[in-house]
Amino acid sequence: MSILQNYSENSVSDDVDITPHVTGETSEYLGRLLIGDDEPRLLNSLCSILRDKGFEVDGAEDGDAVCQRLRENAYDLVLLDIRMPGKSGLEIMAWLKETGVDAPVIIISGHSDYRIVRQAFKLGACDYLRKPYDVDELIRAVGGTVLERRQARSQAATGWSNPLTADFFKHTLDHLPDLVFSLDERKCINYLNHHSESLLGLPTEELIGQPFSQLVHEGDIAKLPLLFGKNEVGESVTQEIKLKTYHGGIGYLDCDITVASPLEANNTALTYAKPPPAKPPFLGIVRDITEHKRTLALMEFHASHDTLTGLPNRSLFMDRLTLAVSQASRNGQKLAVLFIDLNDFKAVNDTYGHGVGDQLLQKVAAGLTHCLREGDTLARYGGDEFTVLLPSLDEKKDAATVARKLMNSLETPFQFEGTDLRVSIGTSIGIAMYPEDGAGAETLVERADMAMYAVKQKKKNDFYFYS
């Protein structure tokens, strides 16, 4: 459903031009694009922006129409929303793979579910942009993808000597936000486009003639033989490599670097160091993926951690416990699982409100964390329940020692900033030991839970071992 206005499922806005733009000559365009989005105004906006940038653009408001356009026309790039009437964006990508239709895909969606993003990349998406999209990021992603596709087609069909191809690349390279470079046979830089200074923080003139390796983070130097080795025998290679930056000091960017060795080169297409090489052995594109990696890492973190406390969630805890049981079995060691429940937490919520309750959970999580070793795991299991994994224990009494520390950490009433409020909270802890109390992760958690309930039934603010 549109976030701007309600539209019937099959309606088309009068002011949205989604008719294919067919011309006799396509060389005047930077590339031909197809956009699939069920929100008419956003579709119109995307079409207008990309047409203004020199692309030929067709649009479709449902997945079936997208597939029909792909059957009838060849496109340099397809931009898809995840949710559309008919086929969804993911279903269209699966259809592309099944039918063998050759069209790279960028997903543009308001959905940032980590699992959907991962599925999109598995199905072959070359990028994922989140609505509301940043126009500069959009142009960079579209331009880079179309350039790579046309570069591959041009090399395969006519090589770099075709004058039309040279003009196209000269115009595109000068305006592409990605860093484009070429290297001589010594792997020294002999061309950089205008993006070098904004990305790396150094003027182009200072980099011409320098070994490409000087731009690479010391820890990634070992990746260079693989980056250059395969395309010496005619294969293009993409590697993730850290590059140094010099914006007010030395920093680093995570980059995808694609390097290819062209069959032949037209020296008029690029401005090279003098004397110009007869044939540049290596051509490459550098794409800054720092923010992309940060976003994916954050999404993966949220998928495995509790958003309120930042602790591992139940799923991650069970994964770590399963691994710890396997290691303990192999090494003949003990481990303990502690199940922690806060006493009378509901009364805190009812009396002071959920805002105070949430702050209390955060303070409890911080206090419990300080009692544990680096290799231990504290997780928020759910609600006011926490679990602890204590691997590599020598004796049962080691778990008892940790349980006392955890209880003692909650003895002092918690204070809340900006108020005189002080809240005391107690805890009941159940403990299950491996291998005595169970050989599997689920069993150990269940028995620690049973021991915790035994504490609640008899007395609170104590710990019991499962028996």
Side-chain angles (χ1 to χ4, degrees):
M1 178 172 292
S2 172
I3 59 173
L4 298 170
Q5 182 176 345
N6 292 328
Y7 292 84
S8 64
E9 187 168 280
N10 297 315
S11 67
V12 178
S13 174
D14 292 337
D15 61 346
V16 178
D17 181 5
I18 61 173
T19 304
H21 287 245
V22 180
T23 64
E25 292 289 334
T26 58
S27 61
E28 63 185 280
Y29 293 104
L30 293 178
R32 190 172 188 185
L33 314 179
L34 174 62
I35 302 175
D37 197 309
D38 66 340
E39 299 180 14
R41 292 189 182 179
L42 292 182
L43 177 59
N44 186 40
S45 173
L46 271 173
C47 290
S48 297
I49 290 170
L50 293 170
R51 284 174 187 148
D52 288 345
K53 291 296 180 180
F55 293 96
E56 182 182 10
V57 186
D58 297 338
E61 290 189 4
D62 65 76
D64 294 329
V66 170
C67 293
Q68 185 61 33
R69 295 278 167 79
L70 286 166
R71 291 188 192 98
E72 298 171 349
N73 305 288
Y75 292 97
D76 293 299
L77 178 63
V78 182
L79 292 90
L80 291 176
D81 193 3
I82 288 289
R83 293 185 180 175
M84 290 187 290
K87 284 184 172 65
S88 70
L90 295 180
E91 288 171 337
I92 293 171
M93 294 181 68
W95 175 83
L96 287 171
K97 295 189 76 171
E98 290 170 6
T99 58
V101 175
D102 181 22
V105 174
I106 291 177
I107 294 293
I108 301 182
S109 177
H111 302 280
S112 57
D113 188 305
Y114 153 72
R115 291 163 294 187
I116 293 178
V117 176
R118 183 169 60 179
Q119 182 66 14
F121 281 115
K122 280 185 177 180
L123 288 170
C126 52
D127 211 338
Y128 190 105
L129 304 179
R130 186 176 179 187
K131 296 178 182 176
Y133 54 83
D134 178 82
V135 173
D136 289 338
E137 183 183 7
L138 171 71
I139 299 303
R140 181 172 63 249
V142 170
T145 304
V146 170
L147 173 63
E148 290 173 11
R149 183 172 174 81
R150 289 213 161 186
Q151 181 181 6
R153 282 179 174 175
S154 178
Q155 288 181 9
T158 62
W160 281 68
S161 60
N162 187 315
L164 292 178
T165 304
D167 290 342
F168 168 77
F169 281 119
K170 182 67 172 74
H171 174 75
T172 305
L173 294 178
D174 284 342
H175 294 86
L176 188 66
D178 287 333
L179 174 60
V180 181
F181 65 91
S182 72
L183 308 178
D184 62 22
E185 66 282 351
R186 299 170 302 148
K187 301 182 180 64
C188 291
I189 300 166
N190 57 14
Y191 170 79
L192 289 166
N193 72 344
H194 294 167
H195 194 49
S196 58
E197 188 162 356
S198 62
L199 185 70
L200 303 176
L202 288 175
T204 301
E205 312 84 68
E206 291 187 22
L207 296 173
I208 295 295
Q210 298 298 317
F212 183 79
S213 58
Q214 288 193 6
L215 298 179
V216 178
H217 183 280
E218 292 78 4
D220 283 354
I221 291 291
K223 295 181 180 180
L224 292 182
L226 179 60
L227 181 66
F228 294 116
K230 285 191 177 180
N231 51 69
E232 285 177 340
V233 294
E235 297 182 29
S236 68
V237 179
T238 300
Q239 282 272 7
E240 183 180 320
I241 291 178
K242 289 183 184 292
L243 293 185
K244 299 174 185 177
T245 61
Y246 298 86
H247 298 285
I250 298 179
Y252 302 98
L253 288 176
D254 290 305
C255 298
D256 269 348
I257 302 180
T258 301
V259 172
S261 182
L263 298 177
E264 56 182 288
N266 182 344
N267 294 331
T268 63
L270 306 174
T271 303
Y272 288 101
K274 300 297 183 180
K279 176 170 120 178
F282 301 103
L283 295 164
I285 295 176
V286 176
R287 173 163 293 176
D288 179 8
I289 60 169
T290 306
E291 190 59 36
H292 178 70
K293 285 189 65 176
R294 188 179 294 120
T295 299
L296 286 180
L298 185 61
M299 293 172 68
E300 290 180 4
F301 180 85
H302 286 323
S304 59
H305 288 73
D306 173 53
T307 55
L308 178 65
T309 62
L311 295 177
N313 60 17
R314 180 185 305 195
S315 175
L316 180 56
F317 179 82
M318 295 306 296
D319 287 346
R320 290 186 181 178
L321 177 55
T322 300
L323 178 61
V325 167
S326 175
Q327 292 173 337
S329 174
R330 187 165 56 251
N331 300 327
Q333 295 178 318
K334 294 179 181 289
L335 66 79
V337 174
L338 282 64
F339 203 105
I340 304 170
D341 183 87
L342 302 183
N343 299 328
D344 302 319
F345 180 74
K346 183 177 182 301
V348 174
N349 270 340
D350 292 343
T351 304
Y352 303 110
H354 289 278
V356 170
D358 287 349
Q359 290 183 59
L360 180 60
L361 288 173
Q362 292 170 331
K363 292 176 181 292
V364 166
L368 297 178
T369 299
H370 290 148
C371 301
L372 302 177
R373 302 169 300 177
E374 187 175 346
D376 300 335
T377 296
L378 170 68
R380 186 182 179 196
Y381 202 71
D384 62 343
E385 296 175 334
F386 298 83
T387 48
V388 176
L389 165 61
L390 303 176
S392 305
L393 296 183
D394 295 324
E395 300 181 63
K396 190 174 183 178
K397 67 179 184 181
D398 295 335
T401 300
V402 174
R404 290 190 189 94
K405 285 183 180 179
L406 295 172
M407 293 176 60
N408 291 339
S409 72
L410 305 182
E411 284 184 348
T412 304
F414 290 97
Q415 296 181 327
F416 295 84
E417 246 181 83
T419 71
D420 296 329
L421 181 63
R422 293 170 178 263
V423 176
S424 297
I425 195 80
T427 184
S428 301
I429 302 177
I431 308 173
M433 298 293 299
Y434 173 88
E436 299 95 306
D437 300 329
E442 294 284 353
T443 302
L444 289 168
V445 171
E446 288 172 4
R447 292 181 174 174
D449 188 24
M450 292 169 63
M452 181 274 292
Y453 272 105
V455 175
K456 280 190 169 294
Q457 288 173 357
K458 295 182 181 179
K459 62 175 181 176
K460 298 179 179 180
N461 300 322
D462 204 352
F463 66 88
Y464 284 173
F465 283 91
Y466 173 81
S467 60

